């Protein structure tokens, strides 16, 4: 059964470039309600744990470095069909393939620095949300 919730984070390059407000505006106007929100910086080892599913991929080292180079904005978002609808809102991993009107089309710089993360399943949304947020941080 769907939780109607997904986990997202605004990646370090987009936070550093002052795009937090612009991205949150697209998310809220896209019909998502913010359940939890905070700014924090991951260590490379925490980024490695978060992206452990990609440990064998050639870009894993670069990914962990990029995700820990500065603060991120972490959030839990709620909407009917949240996981799929959020991936539609953010667009393709590679900004060259991201559709017009998507967050990545507007704010991604490359396939690596692609502005935002979005969970890929309800199961991972729950795991990823609990990696960053306790129960009393969710409203
Ligand atoms: P995310 O999980 O961050 O929402 P995604 O699901 O669209 O992105 P994944 O295949 O899960 O894409 O890859 C995770 C992240 O790893 C990407 O968002 C991107 O930052 C990075 N990444 C993916 N493919 C590449 C690549 N070929 N080169 C460099 N970085 C990559
Ligand atoms: Mg992914």
């Amino acid at each position: 059964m769907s939780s109607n919730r997904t986990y997202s984070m605004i990646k370090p390059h987009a936070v550093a470039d002052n795009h937090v407000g612009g991205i949150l505006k697209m998310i809220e106007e896209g019909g998502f309600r913010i359940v939890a929100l905070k700014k924090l910086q991951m260590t490379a080892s925490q980024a490695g744990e978060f992206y452990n599913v990609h440990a064998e991929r050639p870009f894993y080292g670069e990914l962990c470095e990029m995700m820990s180079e500065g603060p991120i904005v972490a959030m839990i978002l709620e909407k009917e069909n949240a996981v799929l609808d959020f991936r539609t809102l953010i667009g393709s991993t590679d900004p060259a393939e991201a559709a017009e009107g998507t967050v990545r089309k507007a704010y991604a710089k490359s396939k690596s620095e692609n502005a935002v993360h979005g969970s890929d399943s309800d199961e991972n949304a729950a795991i990823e949300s609990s990696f960053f947020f306790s129960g009393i941080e969710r409203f």
Side-chain angles (χ1 to χ4, degrees), residues 109-139:
K109 296 197 333 197
S110 66
K111 200 166 179 179
S112 167
E113 292 189 315
N114 57 4
V116 282
H117 163 81
S119 302
D120 60 11
S121 65
D122 287 329
E123 187 192 2
N124 284 334
I127 294 168
E128 293 172 359
S129 295
S130 296
F131 189 85
F132 288 95
F133 294 100
S134 67
I136 60 167
E137 295 175 302
R138 305 177 190 206
F139 300 92

Side-chain angles (χ1 to χ4, degrees), residues 13-61:
H13 74 93
V15 173
D17 288 344
N18 274 356
H19 294 318
V20 172
I23 292 173
L24 290 180
K25 181 171 161 68
M26 288 182 81
I27 290 172
E28 290 196 318
E29 288 180 347
F32 292 85
R33 190 180 74 78
I34 296 169
V35 172
L37 181 75
K38 66 183 165 191
K39 185 176 187 180
L40 68 123
Q41 183 162 2
M42 286 192 278
T43 63
S45 136
Q46 287 167 333
E49 194 181 335
F50 182 84
Y51 279 114
N52 192 252
V53 292
H54 296 311
E56 303 307 319
R57 310 277 284 276
F59 56 82
Y60 181 65

